[in-house]
Amino acid sequence: MHIPKRVMTLALAFSLFVLPVTASAASLGSMRFHSGGEHDRIVFDLSDAADYELDTSADGRTVTLVLKGVRAKSGLAKPSFHGSRVQSVSWSEKGSEVYVTVKLAAGCKVQAGVLSKPARIFLDAVPASAATSAKPVGAGKPASSGKAADKTSKEIAAAKQAAKDAGLPDGTVAYQLAPGLMEYDYKVWQSGGWLTAYFLDVDPKQYTWKPVLGQGQVPGLAKLSSISDAKNATAAINASFFNWNGDLIGVTMIDGSIVGTTYIERSAVGLRKDGTTVFGPITYSGTVEAGGVTQYVGGVDAERGTDSLVLYNKYYGKTTRTNEYGRELTVVDGRVTAIRSGNSPIPSNGWVVSLHGKAADAFAGVGVGDEVEIEQHLGGLWKDAREIVSVGPRLVKDGVPYVTTAAEQLGEIDQHREPRSAFAVTKRGTYLLAVADGRQQSSHGQTLSEWAKLLIAFGAQDALNLDGGGSSEIIAGGRVLNSPSDGRERGIGLGIVILPR
């Protein structure tokens, strides 16, 4: 929490606030910026926690963040951040301190906060009327957490009793992070080692969920903390399988648009227009008809293969980034508006039909102005869905284990106990975000059958396995709850965020 340790007036009418953070040698690895509806946020990624000071000029328009005992990482770029509240950001280094100077728009102030695991400091530029001195995380996020704060024995006893009263397994402590948001921390000794797992129980009357792309487009990788920060999310969890470059593996829908596909039947979770959540198997089929010829779609927002037809929409970025050995039809309002050989601009209100080899030959007679009909189908279960995440396998169906690794050709992911992630809906009617740590002394992970049973013990009625291993991560209030097995956050292609209604 941002609590000034001392306040003093400096010469030249500068005010200085010194905030206590654990001092240690640290490096500043990167700076990130996001301009949102309620604030402009600058995030400083550190290798370790560090002390800092804030200097504010007399007119309030210039704020200097002094990172104490910190050295800038070699090659750290000069920022070009600019938003509705932040006019400019610059930095310099003097000895073992990094100085970050922020120029603010008139009528704005800065409030600072600290995040841990990994270590981060952030500055929020907000209207002066909205600024407070004790706001550790962004609007909509829980103000504190059971694990983050130092707890007395009495408070720990109360947390254990709360878990017991809720009928949760032995080894669980329960903390309320905010109205409608509970954190359950679970630690037990099992055969062969410790298991540590973290659960967030989320009231759908107060929150909704949404898939978010790593870099706001496909392909692209980003840390879950970055995804959460960008959306000012209450909570977040890693989601889909992905290729090394961030292409998604699995049917994915965002705001009603398909942004990822697979032709292997996999399990998925979807959010319908009426706000209800659905689980079930999903497959993708698509066709493009033009010039009297119909061809099957080989993928959406994915790398184009040999003799293939791939669809690109605005979620793939500004251009298709394809080579010149193809033929691409830009389609807006059902008609071809342009034809290129590769790297076509993607219209915000249409498609690029990217063709290679035999697929290109089949559409050789199609020209500008011709009609194009694009059809995509996911099956009747998903007709009203607006958001879909497909990973697999299914873990729980109707309150009993239902692990579908064989049917989904995913047997290889259940060879050993590993870090696991899952998304569930409980018998209580709440969302359940869950991560089990693995590959470390503090937690040996779970097989999928073990994972399904543990989710049921925490109330799961239906549950979907998410990507695991080094990607498994869960966040509440900007704070990483678990210990990712890589020892750091891994870049991921898609996360699921929890947002206030």
Side-chain angles (χ1 to χ4, degrees), residues 14 29 69 77 93 134 159 182 188 193 198 201-202 233-234 237 315 323 333 336 341 355 364 407 436 449 456 490 494:
F14 271 69
E93 190 172 20
M182 295 293 297
V188 295
Y198 303 90
D201 193 74
V202 184
T234 300
I237 192 170
Y315 289 95
N323 61 35
D333 295 330
V336 178
S341 61
L355 309 157
S449 294
I456 291 170
R490 175 186 290 182
L494 189 80

Side-chain angles (χ1 to χ4, degrees), residues 319-333:
T319 71
T320 61
R321 301 186 292 280
T322 50
N323 61 35
E324 68 272 24
Y325 303 112
R327 191 165 191 263
E328 296 188 330
L329 314 177
T330 303
V331 179
V332 177
D333 295 330

Side-chain angles (χ1 to χ4, degrees), residues 252-253 256-261 283-288 297 299-301 311 313 351 373-379:
T252 309
M253 178 180 285
S257 294
I258 294 172
V259 301
T261 51
T283 56
Y284 172 89
S285 64
T287 58
V288 176
V297 176
V300 178
D301 290 339
L311 297 176
N313 57 30
W351 297 90
E373 183 175 351
I374 298 173
E375 293 190 357
Q376 301 183 93
H377 303 281
L378 302 177

Side-chain angles (χ1 to χ4, degrees), residues 262-266 282-283 390 407-409:
T262 180
Y263 281 87
I264 300 172
E265 183 175 277
R266 291 277 165 82
I282 193 169
T283 56
S390 171
E408 300 182 37
Q409 302 179 34

